[in-house]
């Protein structure tokens, strides 16, 4: 498993919900089974989202392909019917509560957090009720209250989930059985919705194709062609000579499958001072899907110190990035471009990070992240038909500078 997969799995373990290993195993297998039926749920649509930067979808999507442990038919019967009986409206509501536009950088994890720890007695009852939920079909009478953003979070006297901070507010009084069941019910439904998103279905299909034929075929790039393309992209992006660097090449299942491109060539170059450069290319088109820079085993793109805002610098970085992209893809045709950064309360660029996006005539979005302190692109991602998630967003903490329109 590559570094990217390991990072996704790390995020997948960060939930604050009281769970056990046995529960996680049962849950994963149950959702695998439910996923088979969900392909007939054609009316339920979930918007396509990038899942490298936003780990929520990725947590579930990775597990669905990798875990398969038997569970009792009784659990499947009760919970399956509960999941499949969801209305389109509820499905969409829960899908929206997992939308990364509602995430902030005010906490260290994208998992749901609680406003307070459950008491030991509440945890015990939670576990007992979860077993009844699974084995006896004991469900809540109502459902968890979901709001976009609380105006007064200090005076909460009832159970409520705020999507803006992915925070579940628990009243200070002892939680009732109904409230605990509402939490359990939401957790099951949330996992089900995420794992039956368009991303999940595409990933599962890609994984199955890859398992059936995990080797390049006659229509794919050869190993030598993939290495040469990767070197060209990285030389253009970083201005370094990669021909003399040690490299490793793997043929791996794609994390962004498009049509019959279910696999990627993954090429890693070992540079000076323990820097490593990873690039993924589509198996038969050679389209770059991901570039990442590591210092040893550590991804370089971790949040740093807030930086003074300097829009003249940002314009210069944008033009530099645009030139490099045009050298990589001379005929792509940029239709729109922007620079975005998160503004802190003291008027700085949060974490010293700059985001740069380009949209092209052939339907691609090229998404660069730039570390201001180091003057380094820590990653590049590409998506097909990616809309402008900054301008079409409920998040108002990002400032956007339109460059090309």
């Amino acid at each position: 498993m590559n570094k990217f997969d390991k990072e996704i799995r790390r995020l997948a373990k960060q939930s604050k919900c009281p769970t056990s290993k046995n529960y996680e195993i049962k849950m994963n297998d149950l959702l695998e089974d439910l996923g088979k039926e969900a392909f007939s749920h054609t009316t339920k649509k979930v918007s396509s989202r990038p899942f490298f930067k936003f780990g929520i979808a990725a947590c579930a999507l990775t597990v669905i392909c990798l875990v398969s442990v038997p569970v009792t038919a009784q659990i499947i019967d009760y919970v399956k019917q509960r999941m499949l009986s969801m209305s389109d409206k509820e499905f969409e509501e829960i899908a929206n509560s997992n939308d990364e536009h509602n995430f902030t950088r005010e906490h260290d994890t994208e998992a749901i957090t609680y406003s307070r720890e459950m008491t030991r007695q509440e945890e015990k009852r939670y576990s007992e009720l979860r077993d009844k939920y699974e084995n006896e079909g004991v469900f809540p009478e109502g459902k968890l209250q979901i709001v976009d953003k609380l105006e007064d979070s200090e005076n909460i006297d009832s159970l409520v989930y705020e999507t803006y901070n992915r925070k579940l507010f628990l009243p200070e009084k002892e939680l009732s059985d109904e409230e605990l069941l509402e939490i359990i019910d939401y957790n099951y439904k949330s996992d089900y919705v995420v794992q039956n998103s368009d991303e999940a279905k595409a990933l599962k299909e890609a994984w199955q194709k890859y398992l059936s034929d995990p080797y390049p075929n006659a229509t794919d790039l050869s190993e030598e062609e993939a290495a040469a393309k990767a070197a060209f992209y990285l030389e253009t992006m970083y201005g370094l000579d990669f021909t003399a660097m040690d490299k490793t090449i793997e043929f791996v299942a794609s994390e962004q499958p498009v049509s019959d491109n279910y696999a990627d060539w993954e090429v890693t170059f070992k540079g000076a001072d323990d820097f490593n450069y990873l690039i993924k290319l589509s198996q038969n088109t050679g389209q770059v899907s991901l570039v990442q820079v590591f210092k040893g085993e550590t991804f370089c793109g971790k949040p740093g110190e807030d930086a003074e805002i300097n829009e003249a610098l940002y314009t210069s970085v944008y033009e530099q990035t645009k030139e490099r992209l045009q050298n990589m893809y001379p005929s792509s045709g940029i239709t729109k471009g922007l620079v975005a950064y998160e503004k802190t309360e003291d008027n700085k660029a949060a974490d010293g990070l700059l985001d740069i996006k380009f949209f092209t005539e052939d339907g691609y979005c090229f998404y660069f992240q730039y570390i201001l302190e180091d003057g380094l692109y820590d990653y590049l991602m590409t998506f097909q038909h990616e809309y402008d998630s900054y301008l079409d967003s409920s998040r108002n903490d990002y400032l956007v500078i339109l460059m090309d329109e």
Side-chain angles (χ1 to χ4, degrees):
M1 187 175 294
N2 60 38
K3 302 179 186 72
F4 186 34
D5 297 322
K6 291 178 181 177
E7 178 66 11
I8 290 174
R9 281 196 170 277
R10 182 186 67 78
L11 289 169
K13 297 176 181 177
Q14 292 180 334
S15 172
K16 293 290 186 180
C17 301
T19 61
S20 65
K21 181 64 176 177
N22 184 52
Y23 165 73
E24 291 175 359
I25 291 173
K26 290 192 293 184
M27 185 67 189
N28 288 330
D29 188 72
L30 171 62
L31 291 167
E32 168 75 14
D33 180 80
L34 286 170
K36 297 173 185 176
E37 297 208 14
F39 283 91
S40 63
H41 243 206
T42 55
T43 61
K44 295 176 169 43
K45 300 295 184 182
V46 180
S47 298
S48 177
R49 298 283 185 255
F51 54 85
F52 166 76
K53 194 173 183 182
F54 310 105
I56 295 299
C59 299
L61 304 190
T62 304
V63 170
I64 196 171
C65 297
L66 302 178
V67 180
S68 181
V69 181
V71 294
T72 66
Q74 192 174 32
I75 292 176
I76 291 175
D77 286 343
Y78 284 124
V79 182
K80 176 191 290 185
Q81 293 307 315
R82 180 72 173 176
M83 300 299 105
L84 295 178
S85 66
M86 268 193 291
S87 67
D88 289 356
K89 181 179 179 181
E90 184 178 12
F91 190 98
E92 289 295 336
E93 181 183 31
I94 293 175
N96 290 336
S97 74
N98 281 296
D99 192 310
E100 80 275 4
H101 292 164
N102 294 316
F103 301 170
T104 71
R105 298 185 182 183
E106 296 174 15
H107 47 74
D108 294 331
T109 172
E110 291 169 351
I112 294 174
T113 58
Y114 286 11
S115 62
R116 67 168 174 84
E117 295 290 334
M118 281 191 184
T119 66
R120 184 173 297 180
Q121 181 62 25
E122 286 172 332
E123 289 183 357
K124 179 182 178 183
R125 289 169 47 230
Y126 183 101
S127 179
E128 292 170 349
L129 287 168
R130 187 179 63 223
D131 288 340
K132 290 183 178 181
Y133 182 98
E134 297 172 343
N135 293 293
E136 300 175 27
V138 176
F139 303 129
E141 294 181 3
K143 61 181 183 180
L144 180 65
Q145 180 186 3
I146 301 174
V147 300
D148 291 333
K149 191 171 183 179
L150 289 168
E151 296 299 327
D152 183 13
S153 60
E154 298 298 322
N155 298 304
I156 297 299
D157 57 5
S158 61
L159 186 66
V160 60
Y161 173 48
E162 181 191 50
T163 61
Y164 180 75
N165 277 310
R166 290 191 59 78
K167 194 167 188 176
L168 185 60
F169 287 87
L170 309 182
E172 291 303 321
K173 64 179 180 63
E174 186 81 5
L175 294 174
S176 66
D177 285 359
E178 169 67 17
E179 288 171 323
L180 290 169
L181 282 169
E182 287 179 6
I183 297 172
I184 294 165
D185 194 49
Y186 176 81
N187 287 337
Y188 264 100
K189 288 178 176 177
S190 179
D191 284 343
Y192 172 75
V193 167
V194 169
Q195 293 204 36
N196 287 287
S197 65
D198 293 339
E199 298 99 320
K201 293 176 184 179
L203 281 173
K204 188 173 182 180
E205 290 174 355
W207 183 256
Q208 290 169 341
K209 287 181 180 178
Y210 177 77
L211 288 179
S212 67
D213 185 17
Y215 304 101
N217 55 50
T219 62
D220 295 327
L221 296 175
S222 68
E223 184 173 309
E224 292 75 16
E225 289 172 328
K229 271 188 172 291
F232 167 73
Y233 289 139
L234 291 175
E235 287 172 5
T236 305
M237 189 168 169
Y238 294 101
L240 299 174
D241 181 6
F242 289 85
T243 57
M245 292 185 184
D246 292 336
K247 62 180 178 292
T248 58
I249 305 176
E250 295 181 82
F251 194 70
V252 300
S254 176
E255 289 149 351
Q256 295 184 51
V258 178
S259 185
D260 291 329
N261 285 282
Y262 60 85
D264 285 331
W265 280 107
E266 180 179 286
V267 188
T268 303
F269 294 91
K270 185 173 180 57
D273 299 325
D274 205 27
F275 276 94
N276 296 306
Y277 301 83
L278 178 147
I279 183 165
K280 289 190 176 184
L281 308 166
S282 173
Q283 65 190 93
N284 51 44
T285 67
Q287 169 72 44
V288 61
S289 62
L290 176 68
V291 178
Q292 287 177 280
V293 183
F294 293 84
K295 179 74 170 178
E297 294 292 315
T298 304
F299 174 55
C300 290
K302 297 190 178 299
E305 295 294 325
D306 296 342
E308 296 294 334
I309 292 176
N310 183 341
E311 294 195 358
L313 172 63
Y314 303 165
T315 300
S316 174
V317 171
Y318 174 87
E319 293 299 335
Q320 165 190 295
T321 311
K322 180 180 178 181
E323 181 181 359
R324 295 184 185 189
L325 177 60
Q326 289 174 327
N327 288 335
M328 292 169 67
Y329 293 101
S331 61
S332 60
I334 295 172
T335 60
K336 183 170 65 172
L338 60 86
V339 172
Y341 60 93
E342 185 179 10
K343 185 178 179 181
T344 64
E345 292 182 356
D346 56 348
N347 201 37
K348 291 186 176 181
D351 304 320
L353 298 176
L354 198 64
D355 293 346
I356 307 163
K357 275 191 173 184
F358 299 94
F359 301 85
T360 63
E361 292 175 351
D362 53 357
Y364 279 92
C365 168
F366 292 83
Y367 181 10
F368 295 81
Q369 182 168 281
Y370 186 80
I371 305 176
L372 290 165
E373 181 180 359
D374 299 331
L376 173 72
Y377 300 101
D378 58 343
Y379 75 76
L380 160 65
M381 293 189 69
T382 65
F383 307 96
Q384 270 199 313
H385 309 294
E386 170 71 359
Y387 67 97
D388 186 348
S389 59
Y390 290 116
L391 298 183
D392 183 19
S393 170
S394 61
R395 296 182 62 176
N396 56 11
D397 50 347
Y398 262 81
L399 295 184
V400 178
I401 308 171
L402 286 173
M403 296 294 187
D404 288 273
E405 289 188 272

